Amino acid sequence: MHNLKTCFCGITFPTPLILASGIVHTPAAFMALASQKGVGGITWKSISLKPRAGHPLPVVTPYSAGFINSVGLKNPGVKQAVKEIREVKKHIKIPLLASIVAFQMSEFPQLATEIAKAAPDLIELNLSCPNVDDEIGRPFSTDPLLSALAVQEVKRVVKHIPVIAKLTPNVVDIKEIAKAVENAGADAISAINTVGPGLLIDAKTRKAKLGNKIGGISGPSIKPLALRCVWDIAKTVKIPILGMGGVNNGEDALEMMMAGATLVGIGSAVFGKGFGIFDQINQQMLDLMKIYEIASFASIKLSIK
Ligand code: SIN
């Protein structure tokens, strides 16, 4: 039997499968998910300095090749989130990643200082939400200098918690952004956030299917893009990668590792298949490792021929 334990930024995860940010929202749901077999870690919904009401409903809708969402970074603000994370951490045994999102560069130090009070195991910087351009302009991670600055601002105030930069695929050269955040001191990279934004239309009513009209695309349709981005990043940087985008089964997860990921994020598949998806994917990976004669996760990392 292969060992699923995975070390990432010096932290041991019981399995390499991590809940991606934005899928689960309430403390009760985080605790329920964290107690499920096979979950390696959980990522909190992105937290901003102030509470945000988010976008009008509907905020997520499925389509034939995945999902489109525009939640609009709905969250209770960092003060409340710190209380919730502290409470959840008392009840779970797996690492917790806190995702933070800033609307101006100057918010990062305060936000990072506040969230560190909840003692998350890692902090993920959401530099890549495609759904709030109207409010904050293009995501920081479309620009190497802004991406680097965001990492530096957080690393300046948070010394003892590893910092992960979450990147957007919506750039000409993701390698350039990856190198910039690594040079700025990021401990890891997560990739990719959702793609787009895209638009879905109800032909009968001629209405956009999302309340915000446009939103980020996720699910099986983005897997090839996610794999290519993770592969590009892995060839460029030495820091580890949390790879995500369209992972639905064990084969997808192994492919993500072959592209260069150490941990694998599971997002839309949870909507489609429920909390049992983590155990299923782990079992599928273990079965496939026997069939494909894969000795360990480490042995397939960045192994594309
Ligand atoms: C949202 O809340 O709109 C999605 C967050 C994200 O894609 O980063």
Side-chain angles (χ1 to χ4, degrees):
M1 177 69 125
H2 293 283
N3 193 345
L4 292 168
K5 268 192 198 157
T6 304
C7 183
F8 185 85
C9 293
I11 296 162
T12 302
F13 291 75
T15 83
L17 304 183
I18 309 300
L19 173 73
S21 179
I23 307 300
V24 164
H25 293 246
T26 64
F30 278 115
M31 285 190 274
L33 184 97
S35 69
Q36 294 282 315
K37 196 168 170 217
V39 183
I42 54 171
T43 313
W44 208 261
K45 171 74 190 151
S46 292
I47 302 153
S48 51
L49 215 42
K50 303 225 171 74
R52 282 183 54 84
H55 288 152
L57 296 171
V59 292
V60 56
T61 184
Y63 78 109
S64 54
F67 291 86
I68 180 169
N69 94 80
S70 189
V71 176
L73 298 168
K74 178 177 175 181
N75 78 95
V78 71
K79 291 262 190 254
Q80 176 64 19
V82 166
K83 286 186 204 151
E84 293 177 357
I85 292 173
R86 279 185 177 149
E87 189 54 33
V88 167
K89 271 187 64 93
K90 286 185 205 159
H91 300 277
I92 67 171
K93 294 190 176 70
I94 56 175
L96 185 151
L97 290 68
S99 168
I100 58 172
V101 64
F103 286 68
Q104 286 163 19
M105 195 60 76
S106 59
E107 292 177 353
F108 273 116
Q110 190 190 348
L111 184 54
T113 304
E114 288 298 322
I115 205 66
K117 292 177 186 165
D121 298 279
L122 299 102
I123 296 176
E124 182 178 80
L125 308 188
N126 181 354
L127 306 175
S128 44
C129 175
N131 297 336
V132 286
D133 289 19
D134 291 353
E135 295 158 79
I136 57 173
R138 289 165 62 210
F140 292 123
S141 71
T142 54
D143 181 303
L145 290 177
L146 294 178
S147 305
L149 195 53
V151 171
Q152 280 164 2
E153 286 296 279
V154 172
K155 292 292 289 184
R156 195 159 60 75
V157 294
V158 175
K159 307 283 182 207
H160 54 289
I161 302 173
V163 171
I164 311 174
K166 185 166 183 179
L167 304 189
T168 176
N170 302 331
V171 287
V172 173
D173 185 5
I174 201 164
K175 299 189 288 301
E176 190 189 7
I177 314 288
K179 196 73 211 161
V181 296
E182 181 183 54
N183 288 340
D187 298 285
I189 290 174
S190 57
I192 56 175
N193 206 322
T194 54
V195 179
L199 171 67
L200 286 175
I201 301 165
D202 181 328
K204 192 170 164 201
T205 60
R206 295 189 207 172
K207 278 190 177 161
K209 289 194 175 177
L210 289 178
N212 186 50
K213 296 194 171 56
I214 58 174
I217 304 163
S218 63
S221 58
I222 73 166
K223 188 183 85 169
L225 179 59
L227 287 173
R228 195 272 297 160
C229 287
V230 168
W231 190 47
D232 270 353
I233 296 166
K235 288 184 293 178
T236 307
V237 300
K238 295 196 170 57
I239 53 178
I241 302 167
L242 163 50
M244 67 190 84
V247 174
N248 247 311
N249 55 44
E251 187 126 29
D252 294 340
L254 290 176
E255 289 168 15
M256 196 53 90
M257 293 180 184
M258 290 172 186
T262 301
L263 294 178
V264 177
I266 310 295
S268 300
V270 179
F271 281 132
K273 298 185 178 171
F275 288 1
I277 182 81
F278 291 84
D279 190 34
Q280 272 175 35
I281 295 182
N282 281 320
Q283 290 307 324
Q284 289 164 353
M285 281 198 296
L286 293 172
D287 290 346
L288 287 170
M289 286 171 83
K290 277 192 209 133
I291 298 166
Y292 298 160
E293 298 180 350
I294 294 171
S296 66
F297 294 140
S299 71
I300 56 169
K301 193 168 165 193
L302 205 47
S303 67
I304 306 173
K305 294 174 194 151

